[in-house]
Amino acid sequence: MSTTPGIRCLAPALLGPVPATLADATASAGPFPALEYLLGKARRRRDGAADGEALIRGLATPSPAPGALLARAFAAPAGRRGYRAAPVHLRPDRDRLLLFAGDALRLSDDESSSICTDFNRLFGVDGLALESRDGEWLLTAEQPPGPELPALRAVAGQYLDTVIPDDAASRPWRQLLNEVQMFLFDHPVNSAREARGDLSVNGLWFWGGGAGDAAAADADVDWIVTDDPFARAVGTALGLPVSPCDAVTRADLAAAGNVVIVWTDAERALLGGDVEGWLAALQRFEAGWAPCLRDLALSDGRRVALRTGGSGEFGLDPGARRRFWRRLRPLGEWVARE
């Protein structure tokens, strides 16, 4: 346990980047007094991690591949390579396919189990196995299907043919992705989703490969608070207690050791191209976490750090009250523009 415990809140994409028009829209979506205070009075430093996956992986030292962490969390058989997996929607656009991800593609436990069971029945002979647990997906392979594919955040909203190299080494990935599309085309889960008017899951994306037995298990963290599936799995891989956000009070946080809060609502909204969802996420953060973090620093004397990815880290402590010269700026001025 660290001798200087503090509270870190990882909130990727809370401050963008977003299109300029969306950043400007925060003026009418507010007010955001607690968040503006936290940002304005904090000590700021640049942060190399640009996305939620990198921030969450950074909890482990050294930081292993995401697939390696998941393989450990899922207790995958030794000797297999693990990959993060995610349900996606592929939409034809003339003669090309656009890939979409995000919350609209989240499946229930029963839907996930059905797809995994049928996938393993079909692809198990190829040395592949697919698992889903608490909203996170893992593909394990006896042999790597090819070079690493880009992370989901890099391909969401992109044409599929532009993100997979057109070379012999990547051909097995292309073949697997095509076969998965055919497998899911008339799957009962999709038939039911389409009948309800939900977006069909007609593809899977795989990335972040690593060997589970190579995953690090060292972290300067005592407790993780999150509703994010990947963060929950990383907590399991590191042997840490994990609690859902709604089960934790400010008093719990004030009395705890090193706490990491992982809040990915804003990033998930942008991953799915949901601009209204991003603004709504800002409002939820203002209503819940922003005043909690502010008060933990000012009233409870905790060291608080808000990490937003590319926007950097904002550190708040009781000394913030004395920084009278720091003018509070509207939230829109803090949001990064694309």
Side-chain angles (χ1 to χ4, degrees):
M1 182 181 297
S2 171
T3 57
T4 55
I7 294 172
R8 282 173 283 166
C9 179
L10 312 183
L14 182 70
L15 301 179
V18 296
T21 53
L22 184 53
D24 293 339
T26 58
S28 57
F32 299 97
L35 182 53
E36 289 168 356
Y37 183 93
L38 194 159
L39 298 174
K41 298 296 185 178
R43 300 182 188 276
R44 186 181 182 187
R45 71 178 181 86
R46 293 295 173 182
D47 189 345
D51 62 88
E53 182 178 87
L55 289 172
I56 296 167
R57 284 172 54 207
L59 299 178
T61 306
S63 178
L69 284 165
L70 284 181
R72 172 168 289 203
F74 281 54
R80 297 178 67 89
R81 190 168 183 83
Y83 296 87
R84 281 195 80 181
V88 298
H89 177 77
L90 301 170
R91 183 177 301 165
D93 183 36
R94 296 186 180 179
D95 58 344
R96 310 173 80 180
L97 286 175
L98 276 166
L99 186 147
F100 295 90
D103 282 348
L105 280 305
R106 283 198 170 194
L107 302 181
S108 69
D109 290 344
D110 288 343
E111 290 174 323
S112 301
S113 177
S114 176
I115 287 177
C116 288
T117 298
D118 293 339
F119 178 99
N120 294 335
R121 186 180 297 119
L122 182 62
F123 294 97
V125 294
D126 299 319
L128 302 174
L130 185 66
E131 296 181 72
S132 176
R133 187 178 302 169
D134 296 328
E136 190 61 31
W137 296 60
L138 169 72
L139 175 78
T140 58
E142 292 177 354
Q143 297 294 331
E148 287 296 314
L149 295 176
L152 181 63
R153 68 183 182 279
V155 300
Q158 304 297 315
Y159 288 109
L160 197 59
D161 62 325
T162 66
V163 295
I164 306 177
D166 188 14
D167 55 26
S170 300
R171 195 167 297 141
W173 275 125
R174 286 180 172 271
Q175 180 177 344
L176 174 60
L177 294 173
N178 287 336
E179 291 176 355
V180 168
Q181 289 177 54
M182 292 185 285
F183 154 67
L184 291 171
F185 177 73
D186 59 354
H187 193 277
V189 165
N190 277 322
S191 299
R193 288 179 66 84
E194 290 167 357
R196 297 194 303 266
D198 292 339
L199 203 60
S200 64
V201 172
N202 56 8
L204 296 170
W205 189 254
F206 311 108
W207 76 100
D213 50 10
D218 185 30
D220 186 20
V221 181
D222 300 315
W223 183 24
I224 294 177
V225 176
T226 189
D227 294 324
D228 179 77
F230 183 55
R232 283 198 300 262
V234 169
T236 299
L238 297 175
L240 298 171
V242 181
S243 299
C245 294
D246 61 5
V248 175
T249 67
R250 175 184 141 191
D252 296 330
L253 297 172
N258 277 319
V259 183
V260 173
I261 301 160
V262 182
W263 191 85
T264 57
D265 291 25
E267 185 177 57
R268 292 200 316 271
L270 293 182
L271 184 65
D274 184 0
V275 297
E276 293 296 329
W278 180 76
L279 289 173
L282 283 181
Q283 293 166 338
R284 290 196 300 276
F285 194 86
E286 171 64 31
W289 284 118
C292 179
L293 295 173
R294 178 199 60 199
D295 295 345
L296 282 165
L298 300 184
S299 301
D300 298 302
R302 299 303 308 269
R303 293 184 305 104
V304 170
L306 171 65
R307 300 182 68 186
T308 61
S311 299
E313 177 178 297
F314 301 84
L316 197 68
D317 55 49
R321 287 195 180 94
R322 298 190 295 273
R323 296 176 197 136
F324 58 87
W325 63 89
R326 293 195 177 178
R327 178 180 64 88
L328 299 186
R329 295 154 49 190
L331 182 59
E333 294 186 19
W334 292 101
V335 175
R337 269 74 168 166
E338 290 180 341

